[in-house]
Amino acid sequence: MRKLIAKTIAFSLVILLVAVSAFYLILAGATPKTLGNFYFSTGSENLAIKYSERAYDKSGDISDLATLVERSAYFKNHSLVKKYGLILLSDGDFEEFADANGSGYKYYIAGSVVQSLYALNEKQAELEAKEQELKEKELENDTDANQP
């Protein structure tokens, strides 16, 4: 009798483990954005960035790209900030997206990219180019703000 109970318990645990693993794999494949948000809220740096990257790769949406850059900057993953931040800054919809997220958003992203380039010891020319681009955008905003 005890053998039967032990086998039943072991079988139930194996089935439960398989079901939970299958659910996790389905969730990871179908909605990586949800897992990215969950892991970010728990402070799991690598998993939050990993699933944010998967969410962007799956959707190609600028908001997912921005989330990936923001999380990479938050966790100081300079190589990903450089890689995806440059893509975000060169995206045609970035200006509109940045305006929707507040006046300082584009400077936050540009500053994060410049900081990452500096942290990665990139060439001085690249740093100066990004700095110049930031100054030009600032001048554009100043002229736009002064026009009636």
Side-chain angles (χ1 to χ4, degrees):
M1 186 67 155
R2 288 186 177 172
K3 230 180 181 183
L4 179 63
I5 293 172
K7 284 183 182 180
T8 304
I9 290 172
F11 183 72
S12 298
L13 289 176
V14 167
I15 293 297
L16 182 64
L17 182 63
V18 167
V20 168
S21 297
F23 176 74
Y24 182 81
L25 289 174
I26 290 169
L27 189 64
T31 60
K33 188 175 190 174
T34 304
L35 281 178
N37 292 337
F38 171 74
Y39 285 123
F40 182 71
S41 68
T42 61
S44 298
E45 172 182 340
N46 291 329
L47 291 172
I49 291 173
K50 173 183 170 182
Y51 285 108
S52 295
E53 190 172 15
R54 284 187 181 176
Y56 169 64
D57 289 341
K58 184 177 180 181
S59 72
D61 188 37
I62 191 168
S63 64
D64 289 336
L65 176 59
T67 300
L68 173 58
V69 173
E70 291 167 15
R71 288 181 180 167
S72 298
Y74 181 81
F75 289 120
K76 299 191 184 334
N77 188 328
H78 297 298
S79 60
L80 286 180
V81 172
K82 175 190 169 194
K83 178 181 177 182
Y84 290 108
L86 292 172
I87 293 170
L88 181 60
L89 287 172
S90 64
D91 191 293
D93 297 329
F94 177 67
E95 289 292 324
E96 183 180 326
F97 181 79
D99 290 340
N101 283 298
S103 61
Y105 186 77
K106 63 179 92 175
Y107 300 111
Y108 167 70
I109 296 297
S112 297
V113 171
V114 169
Q115 182 183 17
S116 294
L117 289 171
Y118 180 77
L120 293 170
N121 294 320
E122 293 292 331
K123 297 176 191 171
Q124 187 65 25
E126 284 183 303
L127 288 172
E128 291 172 357
K130 286 297 163 195
E131 190 175 73
Q132 182 63 31
E133 181 180 325
L134 186 60
K135 285 180 184 177
E136 288 172 4
K137 286 183 180 181
E138 188 175 84
L139 287 174
E140 287 175 15
N141 283 342
D142 287 343
T143 18
D144 290 343
N146 291 334
Q147 292 180 357

